[in-house]
Amino acid sequence: MKLIIPIITCFSIMLIVGGCGQQQEKVTEDTVATHPVNATVQFENDYVKVTEFMLKPGDKIPSHEGGLRAVYALSEYKIKWTEGDQVSEKEWNKGDVHWHGAIEHAVENIGATDASYIVVTRKELALPDAGDYTIAEDASQIDSEHANSIFENEQVRIIDVKLAVGDSQPMHHGVNRLIYSLTSYQIEYTSDQMDTKSMKIEAGDIHWHTADKHSVKNNGETLAHYLIFEFKQ
């Protein structure tokens, strides 16, 4: 009587366990929940979510989902970036900004410095109607002395604003926008939608504005340095 010994091939194993060799990494759906040391949500409303990432040298975040988003570098760093089978190395300087479409990706800090950056993700809900307010008359167009557009595409315009002590901006339009403060400062804010108010802002503070016409004055004792993420859609 002959013994029939089944031949277990790689194909047979694939049917049983889903592949040969290294199994594909499961996509992380909630990076903040699974990697709270590396990722924290700093702000969220119906339209945007702001997540701050901090990866020490050697830290990794496995493949995870990402929506339409702008990334702003808070430090100088070098990372390995993986999208599917595509792997690349990227170096960013503090203040660099770039845009990503909605795609799964993994990140690893392969440099010698901490990788610190914020990710501003645009949600799917339509923005409030901006009415007659237009991006064509925003801070970067009306007050180029203090406001500089550092990135723009069909989704967003990002403006870097620096107001020295005593400096001010004339009345200008602002569409639906997110403000991210890079320094601690005090400003006087005058808007056609509200009474003039003086506001103390801390570095890292984030707030949202719907469309209005406004002016800003640095009435404090420190440089007012902040980013404006103006969303077009």
Side-chain angles (χ1 to χ4, degrees), residues 8-186:
I8 301 178
T9 65
C10 179
F11 177 73
S12 301
I13 295 173
M14 287 176 66
L15 295 177
I16 298 172
V17 300
C20 288
Q22 185 178 3
Q23 293 185 0
Q24 187 169 356
E25 195 171 35
K26 183 179 179 181
V27 176
T28 299
E29 294 185 358
D30 190 341
T31 307
V32 176
T34 56
H35 292 77
V37 174
N38 302 114
T40 55
V41 174
Q42 300 292 350
F43 177 88
E44 186 169 9
N45 65 9
D46 292 336
Y47 313 108
V48 295
K49 180 170 73 172
V50 183
T51 308
E52 183 172 344
F53 287 81
M54 205 290 288
L55 284 71
K56 292 186 176 299
D59 282 357
K60 303 177 183 179
I61 296 182
S63 186
H64 58 281
E65 298 177 347
L68 295 172
R69 62 204 185 278
V71 181
Y72 181 88
L74 296 172
S75 68
E76 181 179 317
Y77 57 90
K78 182 178 182 179
I79 59 171
K80 181 170 75 174
W81 181 269
T82 304
E83 290 184 6
D85 296 331
Q86 302 298 314
V87 180
S88 60
E89 294 183 1
K90 301 180 182 292
E91 295 188 50
W92 302 108
N93 293 315
K94 183 177 180 180
D96 284 348
V97 61
H98 53 283
W99 179 264
H100 286 286
I103 193 169
E104 295 170 4
H105 60 283
V107 183
E108 179 182 355
N109 184 349
I110 58 174
T113 61
D114 292 348
S116 178
Y117 53 95
I118 58 168
V119 177
V120 181
T121 303
R122 175 73 174 95
K123 293 185 175 181
E124 294 182 358
L125 186 67
L127 294 168
D129 184 8
D132 294 330
Y133 302 110
T134 170
I135 199 170
E137 296 182 34
D138 70 3
S140 67
Q141 306 302 305
I142 302 301
D143 182 31
S144 58
E145 178 183 355
H146 300 107
N148 178 38
S149 177
I150 58 175
F151 178 86
E152 185 169 6
N153 64 7
E154 68 280 1
Q155 297 280 342
V156 67
R157 176 185 290 169
I158 302 174
I159 302 171
D160 185 294
V161 180
K162 293 180 182 177
L163 287 171
V165 175
D167 282 358
S168 61
Q169 293 183 303
M171 292 294 285
H172 57 276
H173 290 199
V175 295
N176 297 290
R177 62 202 186 277
L178 178 97
I179 312 297
Y180 182 90
S181 300
L182 294 168
T183 61
S184 298
Y185 54 87
Q186 179 174 301

Side-chain angles (χ1 to χ4, degrees), residues 161-227:
V161 180
K162 293 180 182 177
L163 287 171
V165 175
D167 282 358
S168 61
Q169 293 183 303
M171 292 294 285
H172 57 276
H173 290 199
V175 295
N176 297 290
R177 62 202 186 277
L178 178 97
I179 312 297
Y180 182 90
S181 300
L182 294 168
T183 61
S184 298
Y185 54 87
Q186 179 174 301
I187 59 170
E188 183 180 87
Y189 187 86
T190 302
S191 168
D192 63 352
Q193 300 294 318
M194 55 183 279
D195 293 335
T196 297
K197 64 185 298 186
S198 184
M199 299 184 291
K200 288 187 176 181
I201 309 294
E202 299 296 327
D205 281 356
I206 303 169
H207 55 281
W208 176 264
H209 284 287
T210 52
D212 70 349
K213 186 175 182 180
H214 62 278
S215 63
V216 181
K217 179 180 180 179
N218 182 344
N219 65 343
E221 299 178 348
T222 59
L223 172 72
H225 187 193
Y226 53 92
L227 303 173

